[in-house]
Amino acid sequence: MLRLLQIEFIKLWNNRASKVLIISYFVLLTSIALIAAIKFDIGPVQFHLADQGIFNFPYIWHFNTFVTALFKLFLAIVIVSMMSNEYSNKTIKQNLIDGLSKKEFILSKVLTVISFALISTIFVFVVSMILGLVYSDYNEVSIIFSDMEFLPAFFLKLVGFFSFCLFLGILVKRSAFALGFLILWTILEQVVFGLLGWKVMSWESAKALKRFFPLESMSNLIKEPFTRLSAVQNIGEQIGENMKFDYHVYWYEFLIVIVWTAIFIYLSYVLLKKRDL
């Protein structure tokens, strides 16, 4: 397994575009620390973003995993391009000639997906821990390590999304078309949801069914954190809006994404097994 993973990372590191995208991705993950430096001084009004509680434990686990997940498209491009290059450079055919089975080939890609997700999760954990220890108003151990479910949710969200991208890369072969299909699928899920709520069932039932859509299920693992901020809740109270929402990650939300991930990996293998290379 380590040999397969080593082969994949050598391929990625020898590809200039992939190298730039991977480095850019992790630089962006680190740049979340720059949010702490945002300050506005307009006359008597002084605004320091770090003082608004976004780096308080345990809220920081929710905020940072949600924000950094927005950057996953960088690695999605790497994964789709990884498969595109296998076809265009004919390295996939050469690997099979050299004795690598199609099952091992898919396994190497899945290990790469898991590695990207795991490294990203560890990276976010370290950055969040440092920022929290510096800026958080609450440093009790019990508070620091509460709400940690957002980290495994972040990991699974990336694994699921990257597995979908891997499937698209194998299905379409060309990276531009695969990314276009990804955007089209995102729009399609919203269109299907709208049609279901408008013509087929009630909006409540459509919303319940929407949770089972692939990309929507991944998105639901980490819900938006901004309405948890005290400043936002105070504004909501002033205008008469109820800003109390359920932000927890539930076991069935994990299960839905795990099932979709297994489906995408299995379909990737089936496609590759049946395709004449």
Side-chain angles (χ1 to χ4, degrees), residues 249-264:
V249 186
Y250 293 98
W251 66 269
Y252 56 83
E253 292 174 327
F254 277 97
L255 183 60
I256 293 170
V257 178
I258 289 171
V259 169
W260 277 118
T261 302
I263 290 172
F264 292 137

Side-chain angles (χ1 to χ4, degrees), residues 38-107:
I38 297 177
K39 293 183 179 180
F40 297 104
D41 293 327
I42 306 174
V45 179
Q46 294 183 338
F47 178 80
H48 187 189
L49 193 56
D51 293 336
Q52 303 306 305
I54 63 171
F55 295 140
N56 278 343
F57 289 118
Y59 176 75
I60 190 171
W61 303 120
H62 188 182
F63 178 81
N64 281 7
T65 51
F66 178 84
V67 172
T68 52
L70 300 175
F71 302 138
K72 64 184 181 292
L73 186 61
F74 282 82
L75 289 186
I77 296 172
V78 171
I79 291 166
V80 167
S81 300
M82 174 176 70
M83 281 309 309
S84 175
N85 291 335
E86 293 282 4
Y87 288 112
S88 59
N89 298 332
K90 300 189 183 301
T91 51
I92 180 173
K93 191 171 184 178
Q94 187 60 49
N95 286 336
L96 296 175
I97 292 173
D98 292 340
L100 196 71
S101 69
K102 290 184 177 181
K103 187 175 182 179
E104 287 177 322
F105 180 82
I106 288 294
L107 179 60

